[in-house]
Amino acid sequence: MSNKDRYHRQTLFQGIGEKGQRRLLTKHVLIIGCGALGSSVAEMLARAGIGKLTIIDRDYVEWSNLQRQHLFTESDVEQQIPKAIAASNKLREINSGIDIQPVVVDATADNLATYIQAADLVIDATDNFDTRFIMNDLVQKYNKTWIFGACVGSSGMAFTIIPNQTPCLDCLLKVTPMFGATCDAVGVIGPAVQMVVTHQVTEALKLLSGVESKIMSKLLIFDLWNNHYQTVDVSRAKRDDCASCGKKPTYPCLSYQNRTKTEALCGRDTVQIRGKQYPLAQLADKLRLLGKVQVNPFLVSVEIQEKRVVFFHDGRTFVHGTNSIEAAKKIYYQIVG
């Protein structure tokens, strides 16, 4: 089947047309996070014919993800497949004509810089503000547009951040209260996810097909359950003294001392430790002496001391079953020495 047939309904839409579709096929989008937002954004963009998608995510598929995270299946859970890999496998079946690059790493200031520089557009699909602040500094530093999105419960928000034109995320936080709760604490419904995704993908299609004049300049905020929907003019929130987007930026979140090395993952009863890389096959042999082991090409996990410990190929470790960093470190060092 030709591209003309595949994208026929989209090219009939006057806002995109054949010229816009040709542009989409040449564009590269970086999606940071592949959970509820990221998996749905990736699917929509793949179906729309974005030429290349790079998907970065540090996690693997779990049972609680299936309620709202598109592209994942029970088989992915049973095999503990990393989300970026599982999503990419499905996306290649949806559209074999585009380039899809999965990256299973924790998004940090060091590894994100290269990916952001290579992309035409960055889409925020993360679940924490530490990563968002790193993204915020990097996109300002490298002059890349990014589309912020977040949701919790039945509420969500989205905003397109354009360097040198709009307020950045740090500016927004000074004037707009962000969600204090998390999905792990109060839950989330699928329609709220899809509302944010719809806005993010629509804005992406406008930007990538060359109709920047249609970009929504206001912050979108909604609560579907309570029938609340509004747009807020935040143009005056941009600050000349902002450390990320002001006249003399210092990009504070890119400095080493401001980075998180060990962290309790919000609401997940899990601690992440960034440590030494170990060959997974050798590690699996060692772990079998300690408990039940599961291994795939991307990670190895073991049940020990009523905790589940998961080692990733990039040197990260999840210790499930505790929010105590000290307790997690103790278990970690008991295993690796």
Side-chain angles (χ1 to χ4, degrees):
M1 181 179 292
S2 68
N3 281 342
K4 183 176 181 181
D5 294 325
R6 177 185 285 273
Y7 306 118
H8 180 243
R9 297 298 188 276
Q10 190 161 278
T11 57
L12 283 177
F13 174 62
Q14 189 175 8
I16 294 178
E18 293 187 4
K19 181 179 179 181
Q21 187 63 53
R22 287 194 296 269
R23 286 177 59 96
L24 295 181
L25 288 165
T26 68
K27 298 300 182 180
H28 178 191
V29 175
L30 171 63
I31 303 171
I32 303 177
C34 193
L37 293 177
S39 58
S40 291
V41 166
E43 180 179 354
M44 280 197 186
L45 293 180
R47 292 186 185 278
I50 302 303
K52 181 176 180 178
L53 298 177
T54 297
I55 304 169
I56 296 178
D57 193 278
R58 66 183 177 182
D59 212 345
Y60 57 94
V61 186
E62 299 185 275
W63 287 109
S64 62
N65 301 150
L66 301 182
Q67 166 256 342
R68 68 199 178 282
Q69 298 186 13
H70 289 210
L71 302 178
F72 304 142
T73 65
E74 293 182 357
S75 176
D76 295 325
V77 177
E78 292 164 356
Q79 298 178 60
Q80 294 186 335
I81 303 298
K83 291 181 180 180
I85 302 297
S88 297
N89 291 340
K90 309 302 188 306
L91 293 173
R92 292 188 181 105
E93 294 181 0
I94 291 170
N95 192 343
S96 61
I98 64 174
D99 183 5
I100 301 168
Q101 179 185 14
V103 183
V104 185
V105 298
D106 190 22
T108 66
D110 291 329
N111 60 33
L112 274 184
T114 299
Y115 293 108
I116 286 177
Q117 289 179 79
D120 295 301
L121 177 67
V122 180
I123 294 187
D124 164 35
T126 65
D127 60 359
N128 69 88
F129 273 89
D130 283 343
T131 304
R132 287 190 177 110
F133 284 131
I134 292 172
M135 292 168 55
N136 188 60
D137 276 359
L138 286 171
V139 295
Q140 298 298 327
K141 182 176 181 179
Y142 297 114
N143 197 34
K144 298 289 183 176
T145 296
W146 71 300
I147 305 176
F148 162 74
C151 59
V152 65
S154 60
S155 300
M157 57 177 57
F159 184 65
T160 301
I161 297 175
I162 305 175
N164 302 315
Q165 294 185 36
T166 70
C168 73
L169 182 62
D170 191 54
C171 291
L172 287 179
L173 287 173
K174 298 294 191 296
V175 299
T176 305
M178 296 291 175
F179 303 130
T182 67
C183 295
D184 297 286
V186 302
V188 64
I189 58 173
V193 173
Q194 294 307 310
M195 179 69 82
V196 176
V197 169
T198 296
H199 180 80
Q200 288 184 301
V201 173
T202 303
E203 294 300 283
L205 292 177
K206 294 174 187 176
L207 285 161
L208 299 171
S209 61
V211 285
E212 291 87 348
S213 61
K214 295 292 185 179
I215 292 299
M216 185 174 181
S217 61
K218 297 180 179 180
L219 172 68
L220 168 70
I221 303 174
F222 67 84
D223 182 341
L224 296 179
W225 203 258
N226 294 302
N227 307 307
H228 172 74
Y229 186 98
Q230 71 176 122
T231 56
V232 181
D233 184 352
V234 292
S235 58
R236 297 179 65 181
K238 184 171 175 57
R239 298 178 295 112
D240 288 342
D241 63 346
C242 176
S244 295
C245 72
K247 292 183 176 180
K248 296 181 179 180
T250 58
Y251 311 119
C253 292
L254 304 186
S255 63
Y256 183 80
Q257 61 266 30
N258 288 334
R259 302 179 198 175
T260 303
K261 288 81 180 177
T262 303
E263 61 181 315
L265 302 186
C266 184
R268 291 191 56 186
D269 199 27
T270 299
V271 172
Q272 174 179 267
I273 299 171
R274 296 181 187 138
K276 180 181 176 182
Q277 289 179 274
Y278 295 94
L280 293 184
Q282 295 179 25
L283 189 58
D285 291 338
K286 180 178 181 179
L287 294 177
R288 288 189 180 96
L289 301 174
L290 303 174
K292 181 181 178 181
V293 169
Q294 188 167 350
V295 63
N296 63 42
F298 313 101
L299 57 85
V300 58
S301 68
V302 62
E303 305 283 343
I304 181 174
Q305 299 178 21
E306 299 183 349
K307 305 287 190 297
R308 179 157 50 95
V309 185
V310 182
F311 293 85
F312 292 85
H313 70 93
D314 64 348
R316 290 178 300 116
T317 301
F318 284 179
V319 181
H320 296 284
T322 182
N323 281 322
S324 167
I325 291 176
E326 291 305 314
K329 283 184 175 180
K330 182 177 180 180
I331 294 171
Y332 175 81
Y333 287 118
Q334 284 176 348
I335 294 174
V336 303

